[in-house]
């Protein structure tokens, strides 16, 4: 599946993606190999992660996106965006991404 490859090839690990979408590592691997497809909440969260990465690519390099996702963010109460994605708090992350994109 192209989404999995796009996000995990340069930005986050498969394990981080699994956590962010609420799936197992094996499930992410299966999606990447095309042996299964995401469904339901996991599919929505996968698209959300792709959206976050895509928006950040408009202003940051892949390396900078990696750093941003893993760093504490004062606008997110000192939390790491990748952690918030894993908790399903994608709207907060998207709001911060929108602030970054509009500010650049």
């Amino acid at each position: 599946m192209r989404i999995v490859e796009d996000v995990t090839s340069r930005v986050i690990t498969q394990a981080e993606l699994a956590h962010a979408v609420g799936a197992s590592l094996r499930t992410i691997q299966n999606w990447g190999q095309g042996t299964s497809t995401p469904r339901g909440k996991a599919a929505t969260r996968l698209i959300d992660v792709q959206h976050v990465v895509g928006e950040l690519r408009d202003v940051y390099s892949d390396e900078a996106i990696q750093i941003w996702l893993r760093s504490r963010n004062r606008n997110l109460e000192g939390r790491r965006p990748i952690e918030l994605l894993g908790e399903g708090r994608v709207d907060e992350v998207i709001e911060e991404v929108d602030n970054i994109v509009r500010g650049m």
Side-chain angles (χ1 to χ4, degrees), residues 72-92:
R72 293 191 181 277
N73 186 310
R74 69 174 164 218
N75 296 328
L76 297 172
E77 301 172 352
R79 303 287 310 276
R80 292 174 174 86
I82 195 74
E83 293 171 352
L84 295 176
L85 291 172
E87 295 170 8
R89 295 169 59 185
V90 66
D91 291 338
E92 295 169 59

Side-chain angles (χ1 to χ4, degrees), residues 20 45 48-53 55-56 65 68-71 73 75-77 79-102:
R45 289 173 75 174
D48 288 340
V49 171
Q50 181 190 34
H51 172 76
V52 166
V53 170
E55 290 293 302
L56 288 171
I65 296 169
W68 186 84
L69 286 168
R70 293 178 179 115
S71 297
N73 186 310
N75 296 328
L76 297 172
E77 301 172 352
R79 303 287 310 276
R80 292 174 174 86
I82 195 74
E83 293 171 352
L84 295 176
L85 291 172
E87 295 170 8
R89 295 169 59 185
V90 66
D91 291 338
E92 295 169 59
V93 175
I94 289 174
E95 183 178 333
E96 182 61 16
V97 169
D98 287 346
N99 290 336
I100 292 168
V101 171
R102 280 194 306 262

Side-chain angles (χ1 to χ4, degrees), residues 4-89:
V4 172
E5 182 180 331
D6 182 50
V7 174
T8 61
S9 67
R10 296 176 290 180
V11 179
I12 63 176
T13 67
Q14 287 185 342
E16 288 171 325
L17 181 59
H19 177 71
V21 303
S24 71
L25 176 57
R26 186 69 193 140
T27 297
I28 298 298
Q29 292 168 341
N30 288 339
W31 293 347
Q33 295 168 356
T35 58
S36 68
T37 57
R39 291 185 175 80
K41 186 175 167 182
T44 301
R45 289 173 75 174
L46 177 61
I47 292 166
D48 288 340
V49 171
Q50 181 190 34
H51 172 76
V52 166
V53 170
E55 290 293 302
L56 288 171
R57 279 188 172 141
D58 287 344
V59 293
Y60 290 154
S61 68
D62 286 340
E63 182 180 14
I65 296 169
Q66 290 173 5
I67 293 166
W68 186 84
L69 286 168
R70 293 178 179 115
S71 297
R72 293 191 181 277
N73 186 310
R74 69 174 164 218
N75 296 328
L76 297 172
E77 301 172 352
R79 303 287 310 276
R80 292 174 174 86
I82 195 74
E83 293 171 352
L84 295 176
L85 291 172
E87 295 170 8
R89 295 169 59 185

